[in-house]
Amino acid sequence: MTTSTGRPANLIDRLYAYFDSPRRQALLMGAIVLVLALLPLVMGRYATTIMTNALLYVVLALGLNIVVGYAGLLDLGYAAFFAVGAYSIGILTVQFDWSFWLAIPPALIAACIAGVIIGGPTLRLRSDYLAIVTLGFGEIVRFGARNLEITGRASGLSNIPEPSFFGYVIDSYVDFYYVFLLLAVAAVVASHRLYHSRLGRAWLYVRHDEDAAEAMGINRVRVKLAAYVTGSVFGAIGGIFFSINLGAISPESFSFEQSVLILMAVILGGMGKIPGVILGAFIIILGPELLRELGELRLLLFAVVMLLIMLLRPSGIWPERRH
């Protein structure tokens, strides 16, 4: 919100406006990455593990932000792509003894195929209808994993081997922290490049007015499918490294609640805004942990805080300003 003079209405908006400069955003991101890189030196195992989970959600939330924030598609089954990446790696490495690095391309291809299968026939739908279809897709993938023998049924897959990189085995909690930090940085860079690309502008037009975009010559179904497939790749990458971090996966790790948490991070932070989505992901993961001392009341208090944030900042904590 701005005043009649064009200036942001409050201190928070002024701060965000100050960091809207690409150069200042780059400096801010660089400082944050530097701080995150030094954190394992001063944190214990538990805190580092929680931060690793937060970085995983940064990757997942940035992927869903492409679908929801860039293209304006409501996806309630995003955990399905998370599951496709995790189970593809688990099946190939455990059942067929593939190398982890050789299994990554087939896992990403499987996620793209899943995105095309569900997106191709359904992305002509809009709003609530699309949300219902994506919700059903997420549940189909989870129930399929629970009932198929190759996925280990309800017990899932275990003993997923840890990868090695030029002879160095990635196996400690600190190793995985830095792996997810690198993934988060790569996701930020990719999201930024997509945002400012020709495809990113097409997503913006489709999000604001599909009919006007189509009248301008934009194939709205193809553009939305590109967003869906791109988001599926981000989700699959998160699932791939999630599986080797835990060493075991089960269908309950990819429930509807996971999709809701990822969507909450995007909406809470600010749809379409990369720093906002990152902030939302950290709040969703770290918030309940910071309130852990309150015991059973922590989730209630956290929910109240989320409600207040959405009432005071209905467009998100750090909303998009591109028009």
Side-chain angles (χ1 to χ4, degrees), residues 233-282:
V233 171
F234 278 66
I237 291 173
I240 288 169
F241 287 91
F242 170 79
S243 65
I244 62 168
N245 183 20
L246 292 185
I249 52 175
S250 67
E252 300 312 311
S253 300
F254 312 101
S255 63
F256 172 65
E257 286 77 8
Q258 290 289 347
S259 296
V260 171
L261 285 176
I262 301 168
L263 182 60
M264 280 178 59
V266 175
I267 296 175
L268 181 69
M271 293 188 296
K273 190 70 173 180
I274 295 173
V277 172
I278 296 171
L279 183 59
F282 275 102

Short mmCIF file of all heavy atoms in Angstrom, two decimals, residues 233-282:
data_model
loop_
_atom_site.label_atom_id
_atom_site.label_comp_id
_atom_site.label_asym_id
_atom_site.label_seq_id
_atom_site.Cartn_x
_atom_site.Cartn_y
_atom_site.Cartn_z
N VAL A 233 9.51 -30.31 -11.49
CA VAL A 233 10.95 -30.59 -11.42
C VAL A 233 11.51 -30.12 -10.09
O VAL A 233 12.30 -30.83 -9.44
CB VAL A 233 11.68 -29.91 -12.60
CG1 VAL A 233 13.19 -29.99 -12.42
CG2 VAL A 233 11.28 -30.55 -13.92
N PHE A 234 11.12 -28.93 -9.64
CA PHE A 234 11.55 -28.44 -8.33
C PHE A 234 11.11 -29.41 -7.23
O PHE A 234 11.89 -29.75 -6.33
CB PHE A 234 10.96 -27.06 -8.05
CG PHE A 234 11.69 -25.92 -8.66
CD1 PHE A 234 11.75 -25.76 -10.04
CD2 PHE A 234 12.32 -24.97 -7.87
CE1 PHE A 234 12.42 -24.70 -10.61
CE2 PHE A 234 12.99 -23.89 -8.43
CZ PHE A 234 13.05 -23.76 -9.81
N GLY A 235 9.85 -29.85 -7.29
CA GLY A 235 9.36 -30.78 -6.28
C GLY A 235 10.10 -32.10 -6.30
O GLY A 235 10.42 -32.67 -5.24
N ALA A 236 10.40 -32.61 -7.51
CA ALA A 236 11.11 -33.87 -7.63
C ALA A 236 12.53 -33.77 -7.07
O ALA A 236 13.02 -34.70 -6.41
CB ALA A 236 11.15 -34.32 -9.08
N ILE A 237 13.20 -32.65 -7.33
CA ILE A 237 14.55 -32.45 -6.79
C ILE A 237 14.52 -32.48 -5.27
O ILE A 237 15.37 -33.10 -4.62
CB ILE A 237 15.15 -31.14 -7.31
CG1 ILE A 237 15.44 -31.25 -8.81
CG2 ILE A 237 16.43 -30.78 -6.56
CD1 ILE A 237 15.88 -29.96 -9.46
N GLY A 238 13.52 -31.80 -4.68
CA GLY A 238 13.38 -31.85 -3.23
C GLY A 238 13.17 -33.27 -2.74
O GLY A 238 13.77 -33.69 -1.75
N GLY A 239 12.32 -34.03 -3.44
CA GLY A 239 12.06 -35.41 -3.04
C GLY A 239 13.28 -36.31 -3.19
O GLY A 239 13.51 -37.19 -2.35
N ILE A 240 14.06 -36.09 -4.23
CA ILE A 240 15.27 -36.89 -4.46
C ILE A 240 16.22 -36.79 -3.27
O ILE A 240 16.68 -37.80 -2.72
CB ILE A 240 15.96 -36.45 -5.76
CG1 ILE A 240 15.15 -36.91 -6.98
CG2 ILE A 240 17.39 -36.98 -5.84
CD1 ILE A 240 15.61 -36.28 -8.29
N PHE A 241 16.51 -35.58 -2.86
CA PHE A 241 17.49 -35.39 -1.78
C PHE A 241 16.87 -35.62 -0.40
O PHE A 241 17.57 -35.96 0.54
CB PHE A 241 18.12 -34.01 -1.90
CG PHE A 241 19.09 -33.91 -3.05
CD1 PHE A 241 18.65 -33.51 -4.31
CD2 PHE A 241 20.42 -34.26 -2.89
CE1 PHE A 241 19.54 -33.43 -5.37
CE2 PHE A 241 21.31 -34.19 -3.95
CZ PHE A 241 20.88 -33.79 -5.20
N PHE A 242 15.57 -35.45 -0.30
CA PHE A 242 14.87 -35.80 0.94
C PHE A 242 15.01 -37.30 1.22
O PHE A 242 15.23 -37.71 2.37
CB PHE A 242 13.39 -35.41 0.81
CG PHE A 242 12.51 -35.92 1.90
CD1 PHE A 242 12.46 -35.29 3.13
CD2 PHE A 242 11.70 -37.04 1.70
CE1 PHE A 242 11.63 -35.75 4.15
CE2 PHE A 242 10.87 -37.51 2.69
CZ PHE A 242 10.83 -36.87 3.92
N SER A 243 14.89 -38.11 0.18
CA SER A 243 14.94 -39.57 0.36
C SER A 243 16.32 -40.04 0.81
O SER A 243 16.44 -40.90 1.68
CB SER A 243 14.53 -40.28 -0.94
OG SER A 243 15.46 -40.02 -1.97
N ILE A 244 17.37 -39.46 0.22
CA ILE A 244 18.70 -39.93 0.63
C ILE A 244 19.11 -39.34 1.98
O ILE A 244 19.94 -39.91 2.69
CB ILE A 244 19.76 -39.58 -0.44
CG1 ILE A 244 19.87 -38.07 -0.64
CG2 ILE A 244 19.46 -40.29 -1.74
CD1 ILE A 244 21.08 -37.66 -1.45
N ASN A 245 18.52 -38.21 2.34
CA ASN A 245 18.81 -37.63 3.65
C ASN A 245 18.25 -38.52 4.76
O ASN A 245 18.95 -38.84 5.73
CB ASN A 245 18.21 -36.23 3.74
CG ASN A 245 18.53 -35.55 5.06
OD1 ASN A 245 19.47 -35.93 5.76
ND2 ASN A 245 17.78 -34.53 5.39
N LEU A 246 17.00 -38.96 4.61
CA LEU A 246 16.39 -39.83 5.62
C LEU A 246 16.83 -41.28 5.49
O LEU A 246 16.87 -42.01 6.48
CB LEU A 246 14.86 -39.74 5.52
CG LEU A 246 14.20 -38.42 5.91
CD1 LEU A 246 12.69 -38.56 5.88
CD2 LEU A 246 14.65 -37.97 7.30
N GLY A 247 17.10 -41.70 4.26
CA GLY A 247 17.46 -43.10 4.04
C GLY A 247 16.27 -44.01 3.97
O GLY A 247 16.40 -45.21 3.74
N ALA A 248 15.07 -43.49 4.17
CA ALA A 248 13.83 -44.27 4.11
C ALA A 248 12.67 -43.33 3.81
O ALA A 248 12.68 -42.18 4.25
CB ALA A 248 13.60 -45.02 5.42
N ILE A 249 11.68 -43.83 3.08
CA ILE A 249 10.50 -43.03 2.76
C ILE A 249 9.27 -43.91 2.91
O ILE A 249 9.34 -45.14 2.78
CB ILE A 249 10.56 -42.45 1.33
CG1 ILE A 249 10.86 -43.56 0.31
CG2 ILE A 249 11.57 -41.33 1.24
CD1 ILE A 249 10.83 -43.09 -1.13
N SER A 250 8.14 -43.28 3.19
CA SER A 250 6.87 -43.98 3.30
C SER A 250 5.78 -43.08 2.72
O SER A 250 5.97 -41.86 2.61
CB SER A 250 6.56 -44.33 4.76
OG SER A 250 6.32 -43.14 5.50
N PRO A 251 4.62 -43.64 2.36
CA PRO A 251 3.56 -42.83 1.76
C PRO A 251 3.10 -41.68 2.64
O PRO A 251 2.69 -40.63 2.14
CB PRO A 251 2.42 -43.84 1.54
CG PRO A 251 3.11 -45.16 1.43
CD PRO A 251 4.29 -45.08 2.35
N GLU A 252 3.16 -41.84 3.96
CA GLU A 252 2.66 -40.80 4.86
C GLU A 252 3.55 -39.54 4.84
O GLU A 252 3.15 -38.51 5.37
CB GLU A 252 2.55 -41.34 6.28
CG GLU A 252 1.59 -42.52 6.40
CD GLU A 252 0.26 -42.26 5.71
OE1 GLU A 252 -0.33 -41.19 5.94
OE2 GLU A 252 -0.18 -43.12 4.91
N SER A 253 4.75 -39.66 4.28
CA SER A 253 5.62 -38.48 4.18
C SER A 253 5.14 -37.51 3.11
O SER A 253 5.63 -36.38 3.04
CB SER A 253 7.06 -38.92 3.85
OG SER A 253 7.58 -39.76 4.85
N PHE A 254 4.17 -37.95 2.29
CA PHE A 254 3.73 -37.13 1.15
C PHE A 254 2.22 -36.94 1.19
O PHE A 254 1.54 -37.01 0.17
CB PHE A 254 4.16 -37.80 -0.15
CG PHE A 254 5.60 -38.24 -0.15
CD1 PHE A 254 5.93 -39.56 0.07
CD2 PHE A 254 6.62 -37.31 -0.31
CE1 PHE A 254 7.26 -39.96 0.11
CE2 PHE A 254 7.94 -37.70 -0.28
CZ PHE A 254 8.27 -39.03 -0.06
N SER A 255 1.71 -36.69 2.37
CA SER A 255 0.27 -36.54 2.56
C SER A 255 -0.22 -35.17 2.11
O SER A 255 0.57 -34.28 1.76
CB SER A 255 -0.07 -36.74 4.04
OG SER A 255 0.54 -35.73 4.82
N PHE A 256 -1.54 -35.00 2.14
CA PHE A 256 -2.16 -33.73 1.78
C PHE A 256 -1.66 -32.60 2.68
O PHE A 256 -1.54 -31.46 2.25
CB PHE A 256 -3.69 -33.87 1.88
CG PHE A 256 -4.43 -32.58 1.72
CD1 PHE A 256 -4.40 -31.89 0.51
CD2 PHE A 256 -5.17 -32.06 2.76
CE1 PHE A 256 -5.09 -30.69 0.36
CE2 PHE A 256 -5.85 -30.86 2.61
CZ PHE A 256 -5.82 -30.18 1.41
N GLU A 257 -1.35 -32.93 3.94
CA GLU A 257 -0.86 -31.91 4.86
C GLU A 257 0.44 -31.29 4.37
O GLU A 257 0.69 -30.09 4.58
CB GLU A 257 -0.66 -32.51 6.26
CG GLU A 257 -1.94 -32.79 7.02
CD GLU A 257 -2.66 -34.05 6.54
OE1 GLU A 257 -2.06 -34.78 5.72
OE2 GLU A 257 -3.79 -34.28 6.97
N GLN A 258 1.28 -32.09 3.72
CA GLN A 258 2.52 -31.55 3.17
C GLN A 258 2.23 -30.52 2.08
O GLN A 258 2.84 -29.46 2.03
CB GLN A 258 3.38 -32.69 2.59
CG GLN A 258 3.97 -33.62 3.63
CD GLN A 258 5.08 -32.97 4.42
OE1 GLN A 258 5.58 -31.91 4.06
NE2 GLN A 258 5.48 -33.59 5.51
N SER A 259 1.27 -30.83 1.21
CA SER A 259 0.89 -29.89 0.16
C SER A 259 0.37 -28.59 0.76
O SER A 259 0.68 -27.49 0.28
CB SER A 259 -0.18 -30.50 -0.75
OG SER A 259 0.31 -31.63 -1.44
N VAL A 260 -0.41 -28.71 1.83
CA VAL A 260 -0.97 -27.52 2.48
C VAL A 260 0.13 -26.68 3.10
O VAL A 260 0.13 -25.45 2.99
CB VAL A 260 -2.00 -27.93 3.55
CG1 VAL A 260 -2.44 -26.72 4.38
CG2 VAL A 260 -3.22 -28.57 2.88
N LEU A 261 1.11 -27.32 3.76
CA LEU A 261 2.20 -26.57 4.38
C LEU A 261 3.01 -25.80 3.34
O LEU A 261 3.39 -24.64 3.55
CB LEU A 261 3.11 -27.52 5.17
CG LEU A 261 2.58 -28.04 6.50
CD1 LEU A 261 3.55 -29.05 7.10
CD2 LEU A 261 2.36 -26.88 7.47
N ILE A 262 3.28 -26.44 2.21
CA ILE A 262 4.05 -25.78 1.15
C ILE A 262 3.26 -24.60 0.59
O ILE A 262 3.81 -23.52 0.36
CB ILE A 262 4.42 -26.78 0.04
CG1 ILE A 262 5.24 -27.94 0.62
CG2 ILE A 262 5.22 -26.10 -1.06
CD1 ILE A 262 5.40 -29.12 -0.33
N LEU A 263 1.96 -24.82 0.38
CA LEU A 263 1.10 -23.74 -0.12
C LEU A 263 1.01 -22.60 0.90
O LEU A 263 1.01 -21.42 0.52
CB LEU A 263 -0.29 -24.29 -0.43
CG LEU A 263 -1.30 -23.30 -1.02
CD1 LEU A 263 -0.79 -22.74 -2.35
CD2 LEU A 263 -2.66 -23.98 -1.22
N MET A 264 0.96 -22.95 2.19
CA MET A 264 0.94 -21.92 3.23
C MET A 264 2.18 -21.05 3.17
O MET A 264 2.11 -19.83 3.35
CB MET A 264 0.83 -22.57 4.61
CG MET A 264 -0.56 -23.02 5.00
SD MET A 264 -0.56 -23.83 6.62
CE MET A 264 0.10 -22.51 7.65
N ALA A 265 3.34 -21.68 2.94
CA ALA A 265 4.59 -20.91 2.87
C ALA A 265 4.54 -19.90 1.73
O ALA A 265 4.97 -18.75 1.88
CB ALA A 265 5.77 -21.87 2.68
N VAL A 266 3.97 -20.31 0.59
CA VAL A 266 3.89 -19.41 -0.57
C VAL A 266 2.93 -18.26 -0.29
O VAL A 266 3.24 -17.09 -0.54
CB VAL A 266 3.44 -20.20 -1.82
CG1 VAL A 266 3.23 -19.26 -3.00
CG2 VAL A 266 4.47 -21.27 -2.17
N ILE A 267 1.74 -18.58 0.23
CA ILE A 267 0.73 -17.55 0.46
C ILE A 267 1.15 -16.62 1.59
O ILE A 267 0.98 -15.40 1.51
CB ILE A 267 -0.63 -18.21 0.77
CG1 ILE A 267 -1.12 -18.99 -0.45
CG2 ILE A 267 -1.66 -17.16 1.18
CD1 ILE A 267 -2.38 -19.77 -0.21
N LEU A 268 1.69 -17.20 2.66
CA LEU A 268 2.09 -16.39 3.81
C LEU A 268 3.20 -15.42 3.45
O LEU A 268 3.18 -14.25 3.83
CB LEU A 268 2.55 -17.31 4.96
CG LEU A 268 2.99 -16.63 6.25
CD1 LEU A 268 1.80 -15.98 6.94
CD2 LEU A 268 3.64 -17.64 7.19
N GLY A 269 4.20 -15.90 2.71
CA GLY A 269 5.33 -15.05 2.35
C GLY A 269 4.96 -14.00 1.32
O GLY A 269 5.43 -12.86 1.40
N GLY A 270 4.14 -14.37 0.36
CA GLY A 270 3.77 -13.44 -0.71
C GLY A 270 3.91 -14.11 -2.06
O GLY A 270 5.04 -14.33 -2.52
N MET A 271 2.80 -14.46 -2.68
CA MET A 271 2.84 -15.19 -3.94
C MET A 271 3.56 -14.40 -5.02
O MET A 271 3.28 -13.22 -5.22
CB MET A 271 1.41 -15.52 -4.39
CG MET A 271 0.69 -16.51 -3.51
SD MET A 271 -0.89 -17.05 -4.21
CE MET A 271 -1.79 -15.50 -4.21
N GLY A 272 4.48 -15.06 -5.70
CA GLY A 272 5.21 -14.43 -6.79
C GLY A 272 6.47 -13.71 -6.38
O GLY A 272 7.24 -13.29 -7.24
N LYS A 273 6.69 -13.55 -5.09
CA LYS A 273 7.85 -12.81 -4.60
C LYS A 273 8.86 -13.78 -3.99
O LYS A 273 8.57 -14.42 -2.97
CB LYS A 273 7.42 -11.77 -3.56
CG LYS A 273 8.51 -10.80 -3.16
CD LYS A 273 8.83 -9.84 -4.30
CE LYS A 273 9.80 -8.76 -3.86
NZ LYS A 273 10.11 -7.82 -4.95
N ILE A 274 10.04 -13.90 -4.58
CA ILE A 274 11.01 -14.89 -4.14
C ILE A 274 11.43 -14.69 -2.70
O ILE A 274 11.39 -15.64 -1.90
CB ILE A 274 12.23 -14.91 -5.10
CG1 ILE A 274 11.80 -15.38 -6.49
CG2 ILE A 274 13.33 -15.81 -4.55
CD1 ILE A 274 12.87 -15.28 -7.54
N PRO A 275 11.86 -13.48 -2.27
CA PRO A 275 12.23 -13.32 -0.85
C PRO A 275 11.07 -13.61 0.09
O PRO A 275 11.26 -14.18 1.18
CB PRO A 275 12.65 -11.85 -0.76
CG PRO A 275 12.99 -11.45 -2.15
CD PRO A 275 12.08 -12.23 -3.03
N GLY A 276 9.85 -13.26 -0.32
CA GLY A 276 8.69 -13.53 0.52
C GLY A 276 8.44 -15.02 0.69
O GLY A 276 8.13 -15.49 1.79
N VAL A 277 8.57 -15.77 -0.39
CA VAL A 277 8.36 -17.22 -0.33
C VAL A 277 9.41 -17.87 0.57
O VAL A 277 9.11 -18.78 1.36
CB VAL A 277 8.39 -17.83 -1.74
CG1 VAL A 277 8.39 -19.35 -1.69
CG2 VAL A 277 7.21 -17.33 -2.55
N ILE A 278 10.66 -17.41 0.46
CA ILE A 278 11.73 -17.94 1.33
C ILE A 278 11.40 -17.66 2.79
O ILE A 278 11.51 -18.54 3.65
CB ILE A 278 13.08 -17.32 0.94
CG1 ILE A 278 13.47 -17.73 -0.47
CG2 ILE A 278 14.17 -17.73 1.94
CD1 ILE A 278 14.68 -16.99 -1.01
N LEU A 279 10.97 -16.43 3.06
CA LEU A 279 10.60 -16.05 4.42
C LEU A 279 9.44 -16.90 4.92
O LEU A 279 9.44 -17.38 6.07
CB LEU A 279 10.24 -14.57 4.46
CG LEU A 279 9.89 -13.96 5.82
CD1 LEU A 279 11.04 -14.10 6.79
CD2 LEU A 279 9.49 -12.50 5.65
N GLY A 280 8.45 -17.14 4.06
CA GLY A 280 7.31 -17.97 4.44
C GLY A 280 7.71 -19.38 4.76
O GLY A 280 7.20 -19.98 5.73
N ALA A 281 8.64 -19.96 3.99
CA ALA A 281 9.09 -21.33 4.25
C ALA A 281 9.79 -21.44 5.60
O ALA A 281 9.56 -22.39 6.36
CB ALA A 281 10.03 -21.79 3.12
N PHE A 282 10.63 -20.46 5.92
CA PHE A 282 11.32 -20.48 7.21
C PHE A 282 10.33 -20.31 8.37
O PHE A 282 10.47 -20.95 9.41
CB PHE A 282 12.39 -19.40 7.26
CG PHE A 282 13.69 -19.82 6.66
CD1 PHE A 282 14.07 -19.40 5.39
CD2 PHE A 282 14.56 -20.64 7.36
CE1 PHE A 282 15.26 -19.79 4.83
CE2 PHE A 282 15.77 -21.04 6.81
CZ PHE A 282 16.12 -20.63 5.54
#
